[in-house]
Amino acid sequence: MKHIRVGDLMTDEVVSVVPATSFKEVAKLLAQYNISGLPVLDDEDQVVGVVSESDLVNRQAARHLVPSDGPDAGTGTGTGTAVSSGAEFMAAEVMSTPAVTVHADETAPDAARLMMRSGVERLPVVDDEDRLVGIVTRRDLLRLFLRPDAEIRRRITEDVVVGTMGLGADAVDVHVIDGVVTLEGQLESRSQIAILTRLAEQLDGVVAVVGHVTAHADAPTPAPHSVPRMG
């Protein structure tokens, strides 16, 4: 069964910056394109980091640290740290590195798990040489759950029932409402039911699976026919 790939969801026109891009220019781009993060590229278009709104906010907050008390406080030579103006910062100084990236041929569920583990909201998509080819965000991944019910039903029938399990298209009745799949019918064994349910649950866009499928082995055994004895 095929999962949707990152390459099917990513945006291939990516706004990016270089390490020497100024703090103000990064902030301007984030506001102009209404995005929350930008990949930082080197001279060979390889991703060396990501700079986000939170990176800028954290750096700006550092400017307001109160210098510690002392004879040199406020002079830049004591224990307090004198922080320069935000306009002098460059992307290289505020970016998160190393960048968490993903390849276009990886599955969307794998990308979602990587985002959760890494605590990021976007993943630069790179080729085999780590050059930027696109970007995928949490919002892009949420599109999986907006997949039309008719498409989910078709994929369960064609990819799972017929393609993977080798059954007839009419072996199981598939109904989908708002991503919730209901399966009805009768199969040869309970193991087939377990496989069908598991594969349907793993399909991109499926919210839940309700199973009303029985196995022939579960059907009640008819009572033996009684032949009256001649008295």
Side-chain angles (χ1 to χ4, degrees):
M1 184 175 61
K2 296 180 180 179
H3 279 295
I4 288 181
R5 303 289 172 176
V6 169
D8 300 323
L9 298 173
M10 72 180 188
T11 299
D12 53 11
E13 295 182 3
V14 186
V15 181
S16 61
V17 295
V18 297
T21 303
S22 70
F23 180 101
K24 283 190 174 180
E25 182 63 22
V26 172
K28 178 181 176 181
L29 290 172
L30 293 177
Q32 178 180 349
Y33 291 96
N34 191 28
I35 52 181
S36 60
L38 296 166
V40 183
L41 309 183
D42 64 12
D43 294 338
E44 298 181 352
D45 288 338
Q46 293 180 325
V47 181
V48 295
V50 173
V51 60
S52 66
E53 289 177 332
S54 60
D55 294 324
L56 300 187
V57 170
N58 291 339
R59 190 56 182 259
Q60 282 293 81
R63 296 179 61 212
H64 301 287
L65 291 176
V66 179
S68 59
D69 295 333
D72 297 321
T75 65
T77 58
T79 56
T81 301
V83 183
S84 60
S85 168
E88 298 176 2
F89 299 152
M90 296 186 297
E93 299 176 68
V94 296
M95 69 183 183
S96 299
T97 185
V100 182
T101 62
V102 68
H103 290 87
D105 60 353
E106 294 188 50
T107 69
D110 286 340
R113 284 189 285 268
L114 179 58
M115 280 187 184
M116 292 181 62
R117 289 197 305 267
S118 305
V120 298
E121 297 182 358
R122 72 204 59 79
L123 293 171
V125 185
V126 298
D127 61 15
D128 292 338
E129 297 180 0
D130 291 330
R131 292 176 300 196
L132 184 72
V133 296
I135 196 163
V136 64
T137 67
R138 287 184 180 180
R139 183 177 300 177
D140 296 326
L141 297 178
L142 285 175
R143 286 163 46 196
L144 293 177
F145 295 98
L146 300 179
R147 171 176 286 180
D149 292 338
E151 183 180 350
I152 294 175
R153 180 183 183 278
R154 179 182 62 80
R155 290 202 61 193
I156 290 177
T157 300
E158 295 180 0
D159 296 354
V160 177
V161 177
V162 177
T164 301
M165 301 187 66
L167 304 174
D170 58 349
V172 177
D173 292 327
V174 181
H175 307 279
V176 186
I177 300 177
D178 295 334
V180 178
V181 178
T182 301
L183 305 172
E184 298 178 346
Q186 191 173 60
L187 298 177
E188 290 295 327
S189 66
R190 294 181 182 179
S191 61
Q192 285 183 314
I193 298 175
I195 294 172
L196 171 64
T197 303
R198 184 171 66 253
L199 293 179
E201 289 173 340
Q202 294 175 352
L203 188 68
D204 298 327
V206 171
V207 175
V209 176
V210 179
H212 296 301
V213 181
T214 60
H216 289 300
D218 298 331
T221 303
H225 181 62
S226 176
V227 179
R229 292 182 298 172
M230 298 298 293

